[in-house]
Amino acid sequence: MDFLLRFVLVDIPEAFLLLTISLAMFNHSVFEKKKQAFYFSILFSIAGEVLSVLDVPYQPKVLLMFLITASIILLLYRFNILKSVFIGMTAICSMIISESIVIMIFNSQQIYFEQMLSSTMQTITIRALYLGIFVLITIILRITKFDIHRLLPQNRYNRYLFLLVLVGSVEFLLILFLNTSFFLRDNNSDLLAFYSPTFQLLFQLLILALFIVIVILFRIYLNLTINRVEEETGTPYLNSIHDLVTAIRSIKHDSLNHYTAINGFLKKGYVDLAKEYVEQLLQETVTVEKSVDSSSQVLESIKNPAVSSLLQSKMEVCLAERIALSMNIKTVSQFSQIKTYDLIKVLGNLFDNAIRATSYELEENRFIRLEWGQSEGEHYLMIENSGPTIPKDKLPGVFQPGYTTKKGGEGGLGLVIVKTVIDRYGGRIHVRSEEGVTSFRISFLSR
């Protein structure tokens, strides 16, 4: 009768709560699949009782329960092997932690393991406290809607991070076994027979082996992270170099046209026309050089070398396309909270759109103005350019996929990327287009 009561009132609720905690780690409810939850509770409880009847020592019993739990989860819920193992690990860790807390609470009252189950009332109190800890953990996880996936972004780099966490969890579990065995050994003479040096040496060797695996996994993950950072930071420089080469080719092509025109004037004896043409070129060159010098001085205040390189390349493109570029940077932060890779996406796409828009204007009307500043309440970036006016009814759709001002109708993803990045960092972006002038303004609240 006692066995039946313990099985129904303790073992099954324990199994059900452990499953609830494990599924809550992935923000799953145990009631989503009630039949599987029922079968798990029965099988887990039976396995625990069988191992108790066979008088299996504490540590091997816990390891066997871990393997049994993962296998049952894999069989009933059809999760992948890693998720099943993680769920099994969570269940067993929860069980050990709860046991340790109960023991520490009673030991603090000078009640040790041999005395804890000496009376019926004390036994009921221990079991109620044991299950109550599970209920508390479950409530916390469900209220916070905890999801382990949020901590592990799904990409190929973090597969190794997941394995690193998983192996680290296994090692933590083994270390917890050893600490628990030391704790129980001092207060329970029955465990001394199972606490042999050979048995403990086996656990220590296993912990050492897992530590070596952790070091290897960490090294692989670190190398992957370094390679990813190099790729992300290297791409902006490659794009900048491509823009510079394109600008140089454009300037070379324009220079060749100017030399051809001057040579034609001289061959036909139109010296005055040649002189006038050269003076006009010199005047334009002086104006452009002043603009370039002013922009170059501004670039010196930019701390991020990737951003400085990008703006330098865009400045050369503007020079080649006869676009008057002015830059006014009045902030020292320059969106330091945004990763360089994302900041390059924003600036690159906005500048490319601005340059493309000015191509529809006459050369004397082409301009782009960049202002980067901050006020008491916000940090902001504004890029303004000449070009076709965007109709008011079209403004709300400029950040939607497919919107483009290209004549061929291709593209339409640049502003989508910009909006996605700004939203990710909690910023705002506003577009205004009136009387042939379009501006995009990005802002972040000051903290």
Side-chain angles (χ1 to χ4, degrees):
M1 186 66 180
D2 290 339
F3 167 78
L4 185 60
L5 288 175
R6 185 177 70 249
F7 186 80
V8 175
L9 299 180
V10 178
D11 293 344
I12 291 180
E14 176 192 27
F16 181 80
L17 289 171
L18 286 174
L19 178 63
T20 304
I21 293 173
S22 302
L23 293 177
M25 293 292 290
F26 295 89
N27 198 22
H28 294 325
S29 172
V30 71
F31 298 107
E32 292 176 0
K33 296 182 178 180
K34 299 178 182 179
K35 184 182 296 184
Q36 286 85 340
F38 175 76
Y39 289 149
F40 173 87
S41 301
I42 297 296
L43 293 174
F44 183 92
S45 301
I46 292 175
E49 288 295 339
V50 169
L51 293 178
S52 297
V53 170
L54 295 176
D55 206 18
V56 178
Y58 181 77
Q59 284 88 351
K61 179 180 178 181
V62 172
L63 284 177
L64 287 173
M65 288 302 297
F66 163 67
L67 295 175
I68 292 170
T69 302
S71 301
I72 296 174
I73 291 293
L74 186 63
L75 177 66
L76 294 178
Y77 284 87
R78 304 293 182 180
F79 293 142
N80 59 56
I81 183 65
L82 286 178
K83 190 171 182 178
S84 300
V85 169
F86 187 85
I87 288 176
M89 183 70 61
T90 302
I92 301 304
C93 284
S94 300
M95 183 176 65
I96 295 174
I97 291 172
S98 182
E99 289 176 350
S100 301
I101 292 174
V102 170
I103 292 174
M104 285 189 291
I105 290 175
F106 277 85
N107 282 2
S108 66
Q109 303 299 315
Q110 304 300 315
I111 302 175
Y112 297 104
F113 190 80
E114 294 176 342
Q115 304 167 316
M116 288 172 62
L117 303 177
S118 59
S119 67
T120 304
M121 181 59 66
Q122 205 158 262
T123 301
I124 294 174
T125 302
I126 290 172
R127 289 171 176 172
L129 181 60
Y130 177 69
L131 297 177
I133 294 173
F134 290 154
V135 173
L136 180 61
I137 296 174
T138 302
I139 291 173
I140 293 173
L141 291 175
R142 295 307 298 163
I143 289 178
T144 59
K145 295 182 179 180
F146 183 85
D147 190 349
I148 194 67
H149 287 110
R150 297 174 186 171
L151 304 179
L152 299 173
Q154 299 301 305
N155 57 56
R156 65 188 183 92
Y157 301 103
N158 284 320
R159 291 174 187 170
Y160 283 97
L161 178 60
F162 185 85
L163 290 175
L164 191 61
V165 173
L166 182 62
V167 176
S169 300
V170 174
E171 182 166 29
F172 170 76
L173 180 61
L174 292 177
I175 294 173
L176 198 60
F177 290 164
L178 287 178
N179 291 338
T180 305
S181 65
F182 276 113
F183 194 76
L184 294 176
R185 182 191 63 176
D186 295 335
N187 300 295
N188 186 8
S189 58
D190 294 337
L191 291 177
L192 289 174
F194 306 111
Y195 192 84
S196 64
T198 303
F199 186 75
Q200 294 303 314
L201 178 61
L202 178 63
F203 270 85
Q204 291 173 1
L205 290 175
L206 185 56
I207 290 173
L208 179 61
L210 288 177
F211 177 75
I212 295 173
V213 173
I214 288 174
V215 172
I216 295 173
L217 287 174
F218 180 76
R219 182 184 178 90
I220 295 173
Y221 177 74
L222 185 61
N223 289 334
L224 286 174
T225 303
I226 291 173
N227 291 335
R228 180 179 63 179
V229 171
E230 289 178 349
E231 290 176 2
E232 291 182 352
T233 54
T235 300
Y237 290 106
L238 291 176
N239 292 336
S240 298
I241 291 173
H242 178 266
D243 288 341
L244 285 173
V245 172
T246 302
I248 291 171
R249 287 177 177 174
S250 178
I251 293 173
K252 179 181 178 182
H253 181 266
D254 288 346
S255 299
L256 182 61
N257 289 336
H258 294 316
Y259 294 148
T260 302
I262 294 171
N263 185 52
F265 286 141
L266 294 176
K267 279 185 177 181
K268 294 183 179 181
Y270 300 149
V271 178
D272 293 338
L273 289 177
K275 180 180 178 181
E276 181 181 348
Y277 189 80
V278 170
E279 289 177 351
Q280 183 178 354
L281 287 178
L282 288 174
Q283 184 178 359
E284 291 180 1
T285 303
V286 170
T287 302
V288 171
E289 284 296 331
K290 288 181 179 179
S291 174
V292 170
D293 291 340
S294 176
S295 299
S296 298
Q297 292 176 0
V298 171
L299 291 179
E300 294 177 0
S301 64
I302 296 178
K303 297 180 179 180
N304 191 319
V307 173
S308 179
S309 175
L310 174 72
L311 294 181
Q312 179 71 44
S313 66
K314 298 306 179 186
M315 185 176 68
E316 298 297 336
V317 173
C318 289
L319 176 63
E321 297 293 332
R322 296 288 192 271
I323 301 172
L325 173 64
S326 63
M327 292 189 288
N328 183 16
I329 298 179
K330 302 181 292 186
T331 178
V332 294
S333 66
Q334 296 158 13
F335 295 170
S336 57
Q337 77 276 20
I338 300 181
K339 294 179 180 179
T340 297
Y341 189 58
D342 288 329
L343 188 55
I344 293 299
K345 286 181 183 178
V346 172
L347 289 172
N349 280 296
L350 289 179
F351 253 102
D352 288 343
N353 282 353
I355 291 171
R356 187 183 307 112
T358 59
S359 65
Y360 297 104
E361 294 286 304
L362 297 175
E363 289 188 4
E364 58 268 21
N365 296 330
R366 296 177 182 177
F367 76 88
I368 295 176
R369 185 171 70 89
L370 179 144
E371 184 176 330
W372 210 339
Q374 67 183 79
S375 62
E376 294 183 359
E378 65 177 5
H379 298 272
Y380 67 89
L381 167 71
M382 185 186 72
I383 294 182
E384 185 178 76
N385 62 269
S386 58
T389 302
I390 302 175
K392 289 186 177 181
D393 60 326
K394 299 286 186 180
L395 287 177
V398 297
F399 299 109
Q400 300 298 322
Y403 181 86
T404 180
T405 57
K406 293 181 181 179
K407 292 181 179 180
E410 299 177 354
L413 292 177
L415 291 177
V416 176
I417 295 173
V418 172
K419 183 71 163 57
T420 301
V421 172
I422 299 304
D423 288 345
R424 187 190 310 153
Y425 289 93
R428 295 177 296 178
I429 182 169
H430 176 72
V431 57
R432 181 178 61 84
S433 186
E434 296 176 352
E435 299 178 355
V437 177
T438 300
S439 65
F440 288 86
R441 189 177 189 277
I442 296 169
S443 61
F444 293 90
L445 295 178
S446 300
R447 296 179 180 178

